[in-house]
Amino acid sequence: MKKLPIGIQSIHKILSKGDYVYVDKTDFIEKLIGEGSPYYFISRPRRFGKSLFLNTLEEVFKGNKELFKGCAIYNSGYKWEKHPVIYLDFSQIESTTPEELENDLKDILQEIGQSYGLPSPTHSSLKAQLRKLVIGLAKQNRVVILVDEYDQPIINHLSKPSIAEKNREVLKRFFSTLKSLDRYLEFGFITGISKFSHVSLFSGLNNLNDITMDPKYAGMMGYTDEEVKKHFSEEVKAIAFERGETSEEKVFEEVKVWYNGYRFSRTPLCVYNPFSTLNFMSKKETAGYWYSTGTPSFLIDQLKKYPKSMISLDGTTARKDELTDISSLEKIDLKALMYQAGYFTVQDYNPTSKRYYLGLPNKEVRTAFMDSLVEHFTDEVDVRESEKFAKALETYQIDILFEHIKTGFSSFPYPVFAGAKEYTYQAMLLSMLYGMGFDLLSERLTNTGRIDVVLEVEKATYILELKLDGSSKAALKQIQEKGYFKPYMHKKKEIAIIGANFSSDTRNISDWEGELLSPSGKTIRPLFKEDSSVLESVQKGLEDAKNGRLNTIDPKEFDG
């Protein structure tokens, strides 16, 4: 079984010994070069293979043909002419201040020149230094310019618009220089997460071809369904064997639900997040791998700064120009930001209105994004409160749990739930329960259906079924009729089955009903909303009795 190239951005390391899995994308390089357009731009979310693709371009333009033996481009007829390459990775360039950004760029340009044997420039401006470098390298052959994450000096400072604006001006002056150097340039490829207008990247290079939403290049970064099944069959077979699964299709379906769903054009082709897919194949379990590599602080900052601008997590519509351009740093269009950053993706396209329908791409993003919203918009639950909720469920004081959840839901800006579907409420509830310290199972598959939530405490198992604009009675009946509790009868613990209903009008839990079952699945008694207040009264009465105040206990409270 080949090694998995997790986090590797060097195509030489992946291909040189042939011991890494490589999903070949070199046919796209042949297409780019053969199309005749000399300069390209593409926007893709972080960790989507942009850096590896640029490094692949670099090795191709340096003429390293033998490295690509067995790849699509090797026998394509490409001439493998050697070109000097200027490679700029802005994720590695300091940009805390515009002065720092400019000085670091100068240092990198000087290092590139020295690597090609050019003399070091003296007392040159940034524009002059770039111009001298390109002209000097062009004496060897026409120059290729590759720019990775050009927008990092802006994105990293969205919470400080004054710095972001000044950094944008540095980039504008820098990239405007390339327009006058066109006769020395062979090819250019520029990547980023977002497309910010008013950077001369777009106004200076008149022939820059933005292929971000071009159907021809929709599968250029990320893995298609076909590629996942072709290149990771051995890993999936090993995972299925380890789990005791008889069908590998179940594993493939799990990967698809969690990591597929990214669509970058009007055509229906979707791709998997490559970073998360590789991590799943390595660690053999689902988790928020992509999301955990860097919380979207710039996005959360925008959501907190402009809460009324929040858009439904279950989707919105937009024109192409609304998605591919951000002009104002003061108030960024959240649709564009969420799409470009990878938290929204295309889910459908209407050719008549030419509008794109957007939504969260998959379970990884939905789960992790909900967790972030809970963390940033609700009060954090400390360890002591977590213990309080666990003890409440041990004694079936369910209202204590639901009242806290209601408070949490009420703290979210109302647009979060505009047009929300049932699974959004469910995901938000799960995130809150995780935050309260519970270990959960969600959408547990049984032979009669899927259980929404399974929650374990020491003395009881809780099974929750959730409805939106339905009824808690119907939810509880579904648990009873489908026997969702049966797989948990072997635990020899009491089982609490709860049906809960969310209201889209109040954007909160409207009511719940419950029943307590014996370990064998027989009904012991209904669970009431009054259980909590009765128990609290009894406990208070016992405390009063202990202190000699026997007359405070009302015998009626012991009814039933």
Side-chain angles (χ1 to χ4, degrees):
M1 191 180 296
K2 290 189 175 184
K3 293 188 283 188
L4 298 169
I6 299 172
I8 298 177
Q9 298 173 357
S10 166
I11 193 65
H12 186 274
K13 185 172 183 178
I14 292 173
L15 293 181
S16 58
K17 295 181 180 178
D19 53 356
Y20 281 96
V21 172
Y22 176 58
V23 178
D24 186 8
K25 300 290 185 178
T26 60
D27 56 330
F28 287 104
I29 292 178
E30 182 192 359
K31 189 183 296 183
L32 287 167
I33 296 171
E35 211 175 54
S37 177
Y39 311 118
Y40 294 92
F41 169 78
I42 192 167
S43 164
R44 286 291 185 270
R46 59 189 172 80
R47 295 287 196 172
F48 243 83
K50 298 189 296 294
S51 298
L52 178 61
F53 190 81
L54 278 186
N55 183 246
T56 306
L57 277 169
E58 181 180 21
E59 294 294 343
V60 167
F61 278 111
K62 285 183 174 179
N64 293 334
K65 180 178 180 179
E66 292 307 309
L67 178 64
F68 296 95
K69 197 167 186 177
C71 295
I73 198 171
Y74 186 80
N75 296 314
S76 67
Y78 176 65
K79 294 181 180 179
W80 297 96
E81 187 177 342
K82 193 172 184 178
H83 293 270
V85 177
I86 296 175
Y87 191 118
L88 300 172
D89 181 359
F90 276 85
S91 69
Q92 302 301 313
I93 295 174
E94 296 296 333
S95 62
T96 307
T97 66
E99 293 77 20
E100 187 176 57
L101 171 60
E102 192 160 340
N103 289 333
D104 216 20
L105 269 172
K106 285 182 179 180
D107 288 343
I108 289 171
L109 294 179
Q110 184 172 327
E111 290 169 10
I112 294 171
Q114 289 172 345
S115 71
Y116 282 97
L118 298 182
S120 300
T122 56
H123 307 296
S124 294
S125 67
L126 180 59
K127 292 178 68 171
Q129 199 163 323
L130 176 60
R131 187 168 58 249
K132 289 176 183 178
L133 176 61
V134 171
I135 293 172
L137 291 177
K139 293 175 182 177
Q140 301 175 26
N141 203 349
R142 288 166 64 88
V143 179
V144 170
I145 292 188
L146 305 175
V147 180
D148 198 10
E149 307 287 11
Y150 90 95
D151 53 349
Q152 285 299 296
I154 303 173
I155 289 244
N156 288 347
H157 302 288
L158 288 180
S159 61
K160 300 176 181 177
S162 61
I163 293 176
E165 185 63 50
K166 290 175 182 176
N167 283 348
R168 182 167 67 173
E169 286 304 309
V170 173
L171 295 177
K172 182 177 181 179
R173 293 194 301 272
F174 180 75
F175 286 113
S176 67
T177 309
L178 295 177
K179 185 176 181 181
S180 64
L181 298 171
D182 181 63
R183 64 184 180 276
Y184 302 107
L185 302 178
E186 173 71 14
F187 184 88
F189 197 92
I190 301 163
T191 79
I193 292 174
S194 298
K195 179 179 176 181
F196 290 98
S197 59
H198 307 309
V199 174
S200 281
L201 174 63
F202 305 103
S203 58
L205 286 171
N206 294 330
N207 297 322
L208 189 67
N209 186 0
D210 184 353
I211 59 173
T212 298
M213 299 184 76
D214 190 329
K216 293 195 299 293
Y217 299 102
M220 190 166 75
M221 294 170 188
Y223 301 149
T224 65
D225 199 48
E226 182 182 347
E227 289 169 338
V228 168
K229 291 180 178 177
K230 175 182 176 181
H231 292 278
F232 300 103
S233 59
E234 289 187 38
E235 285 77 12
V236 168
K237 185 181 291 185
I239 293 169
F241 178 79
E242 187 176 294
R243 294 179 178 180
E245 296 276 5
T246 56
S247 171
E248 292 162 26
E249 281 304 314
K250 285 186 179 180
V251 181
F252 277 120
E253 183 61 27
E254 183 177 24
V255 185
K256 189 171 188 174
V257 168
W258 270 82
Y259 306 122
N260 193 19
Y262 292 92
R263 178 175 163 184
F264 297 112
S265 77
R266 62 182 181 272
T267 56
L269 179 69
C270 290
V271 294
Y272 292 69
N273 182 311
F275 182 78
S276 294
T277 302
L278 288 171
N279 272 279
F280 170 82
M281 298 300 172
S282 173
K283 297 178 175 63
K284 300 180 174 59
E285 63 179 0
T286 54
Y289 300 111
W290 173 74
Y291 202 93
S292 65
T293 58
T295 54
S297 55
F298 64 91
L299 182 55
I300 294 295
D301 287 343
Q302 292 296 312
L303 295 178
K304 294 179 90 169
K305 192 174 180 181
Y306 305 108
K308 291 183 180 179
S309 300
M310 289 186 73
I311 49 184
S312 170
L313 297 181
D314 284 296
T316 185
T317 61
R319 299 185 310 273
K320 181 178 178 180
D321 61 291
E322 292 178 303
L323 297 177
T324 57
D325 192 13
I326 295 176
S327 57
S328 170
L329 295 183
E330 289 296 329
K331 188 174 181 181
I332 293 176
D333 186 324
L334 283 175
K335 281 188 289 193
L337 186 61
M338 288 185 70
Y339 171 73
Q340 294 178 15
Y343 302 103
F344 268 177
T345 195
V346 174
Q347 293 188 333
D348 204 355
Y349 175 71
N350 186 325
T352 304
S353 64
K354 295 185 178 179
R355 295 189 73 85
Y356 293 83
Y357 181 81
L358 308 174
L360 299 170
N362 52 43
K363 191 167 182 177
E364 177 186 28
V365 176
R366 178 174 291 279
T367 301
F369 195 67
M370 296 297 184
D371 288 346
S372 284
L373 289 177
V374 168
E375 179 184 350
H376 289 89
F377 285 97
T378 64
D379 294 330
E380 293 185 10
V381 181
D382 63 28
V383 176
R384 288 168 297 178
E385 285 184 302
S386 297
E387 292 174 354
K388 179 184 81 172
F389 295 128
K391 287 178 181 176
L393 293 190
E394 296 282 4
T395 51
Y396 308 114
Q397 300 177 75
I398 301 163
D399 256 5
I400 292 177
L401 179 73
F402 277 120
E403 285 305 315
H404 183 79
I405 289 169
K406 286 181 180 179
T407 301
F409 268 83
S410 65
S411 68
F412 292 106
Y414 118 87
V416 170
F417 294 106
K421 306 292 190 298
E422 183 177 304
Y423 49 74
T424 294
Y425 285 90
Q426 178 184 332
M428 197 69 83
L429 174 64
L430 286 168
S431 295
M432 292 191 67
L433 290 171
Y434 276 121
M436 293 159 71
F438 291 112
D439 188 17
L440 307 166
L441 287 173
S442 65
E443 295 187 352
R444 171 68 187 273
L445 187 63
T446 73
N447 61 348
T448 58
R450 290 180 185 269
I451 306 172
D452 284 344
V453 182
V454 178
L455 188 157
E456 295 275 3
V457 292
E458 186 179 350
K459 297 178 181 177
T461 300
Y462 277 79
I463 295 172
L464 281 72
E465 181 66 27
L466 310 170
K467 297 294 182 186
L468 175 61
D469 294 330
S471 74
S472 57
K473 190 180 294 294
L476 183 63
K477 187 177 180 182
Q478 183 172 325
I479 299 174
Q480 295 164 332
E481 291 182 345
K482 297 204 171 188
Y484 287 163
F485 54 87
K486 290 181 180 179
Y488 301 93
M489 287 162 46
H490 71 282
K491 291 181 176 286
K492 298 181 180 179
K493 297 194 295 187
E494 290 181 331
I495 303 169
I497 58 176
I498 309 289
N501 184 64
F502 289 97
S503 165
S504 59
D505 290 332
T506 63
R507 299 175 297 283
N508 216 320
I509 293 174
S510 60
D511 63 293
W512 66 269
E513 289 194 28
E515 202 170 80
L516 184 62
L517 309 181
S518 70
S520 63
K522 293 184 178 179
T523 301
I524 298 175
R525 66 180 177 88
L527 292 170
F528 297 104
K529 299 176 179 64
E530 291 78 19
D531 283 352
S532 299
S533 58
V534 168
L535 186 57
E536 286 171 6
S537 296
V538 171
Q539 288 172 335
K540 182 178 185 300
L542 291 174
E543 184 66 27
D544 287 344
K546 182 180 177 182
N547 294 313
R549 296 190 296 273
L550 293 173
N551 62 329
T552 61
I553 302 179
D554 185 348
K556 293 179 183 177
E557 292 178 348
F558 292 98
D559 247 7

